[in-house]
Amino acid sequence: MRAGEVRQSAGMIQPGQLVIAREAHRQQLVRAVRRGTAERIRVGAYVGTEEAPESSFTAARRRAVRLAEAVHRQLRATHFFSHQTAALLWGCALWDTPEQTHLWQAYRPSGRAAADLRRHTGVIAPGQQARAAGLPVTSLERTVVDCALAMHPLEALVVADSALRLVPALDVDAARSILATVTRRNGTRRARWVLDHADAGAESPWETWIRYVCLRVSMPRPVTQVPVQTRRRMYHCDLGWPDHGVYVEFDGRVKYVDDGVRRGHDARREIEQEKRRADALHEAGIHPIRFMAADAAPRRGEESVVQRIARQFPAGMVRGFRTVPFLPPPPATRFGTR
């Protein structure tokens, strides 16, 4: 809604409804906040309080989208959401939800610019402009390149992996062409690495995390979604090195909670299915190394993820594993049990 349109009433704010203060009756909005049926998400923007409980991760993503919608309705200058914000609007996975709303605009912000906005200054070429979730954004390829240039390589790899699973999917060659036009030096090497190692087979941020810690120490590139034929059926391990008989899986606790994966998800049935699957894999001679989020920070005396995987390889190979100098250790995340 823009200036001049009919002002909406804040007295009947629906759960999840976004209300811009300048478009609403102030006293009705104040009463809604006092009743707890609305909350302020940024200066001049309110949203109806959600009734159904959500996971912290889902709530954070929803809030980040609402913030982008609020910024769009408040800004009058031409803008395109970018980086993590655009990735979110495209439907990409994120290692962590952004605490700031990222956007490109043609002019530099004033010294009084809002702290919850991260404004990038520049002109977006017509071919790199798009719309996602009803908002102006950088194209998927430009979004991934921006993320690869600015973010931690693990965080950018999570975005790139998931972008390859979208329909239509990320065009990696087009992204490489965009990256080739970047004149800055800082970050380009990492960005090329991210594009070269993006893999649609990583079905969750934590699967990407396992790949990253392995690739960071120069392990051979793992195969994702490795097919394994058992007496029951064909199963797939999250990743592995079939030539060496090494398989890895990540267990998210969300699978073992009712409604954890989706509404109606049955945790007891999930446990039963996982037990049958594990038995079938073991009978087929496949013994995956299993990890959970807690393994990202092992206790004193415990083996690291890299150590547990590396000892499955021949000693001669392990001696050749070296940390890639430009790849930093993985960052922490606020959402450790997705």
Side-chain angles (χ1 to χ4, degrees), residues 7 19 27 238 319:
R7 291 165 65 85
V19 177
Q27 290 305 316
D238 293 339
R319 285 192 290 270

Side-chain angles (χ1 to χ4, degrees), residues 116-268:
D116 64 344
L117 290 185
R118 178 66 174 89
R119 302 174 193 252
H120 306 268
T121 306
V123 177
I124 302 300
Q128 297 172 22
Q129 301 174 10
R131 293 190 73 84
L135 299 175
V137 297
T138 50
S139 67
L140 182 60
E141 288 70 28
R142 175 61 185 268
T143 296
V144 171
V145 169
D146 282 344
C147 288
L149 287 168
M151 296 167 64
H152 186 290
L154 168 59
E155 296 174 323
L157 190 61
V158 168
V159 172
D161 284 352
S162 62
L164 286 172
R165 300 195 300 272
L166 298 179
V167 180
L170 169 73
D171 184 333
V172 177
D173 288 336
R176 288 194 180 101
S177 296
I178 293 173
L179 180 60
T181 66
V182 175
T183 56
R184 56 178 272 195
R185 282 189 169 185
N186 188 31
T188 54
R189 188 179 188 186
R190 288 182 180 180
R192 284 195 296 271
W193 185 92
V194 168
L195 294 179
D196 289 344
H197 291 84
D199 191 323
E203 296 185 342
S204 76
W206 281 104
E207 291 179 29
T208 298
W209 166 74
I210 295 175
R211 280 179 43 244
Y212 179 81
V213 297
C214 292
L215 293 170
R216 181 175 175 264
V217 296
S218 306
M219 285 189 190
R221 183 166 181 166
V223 178
T224 56
Q225 301 306 313
V226 189
V228 177
Q229 184 63 57
T230 73
R231 63 174 177 78
R232 292 184 58 86
R233 48 166 286 192
M234 177 76 77
Y235 287 110
H236 291 81
C237 291
D238 293 339
L239 59 95
W241 296 262
D243 291 346
H244 299 283
V246 181
Y247 300 86
V248 174
E249 298 206 312
F250 180 84
D251 272 338
R253 287 194 295 177
V254 69
K255 292 192 302 183
Y256 307 116
V257 177
D258 286 338
D259 297 326
V261 176
R262 67 188 68 84
R263 193 174 298 279
H265 176 72
D266 187 334
R268 178 178 296 181

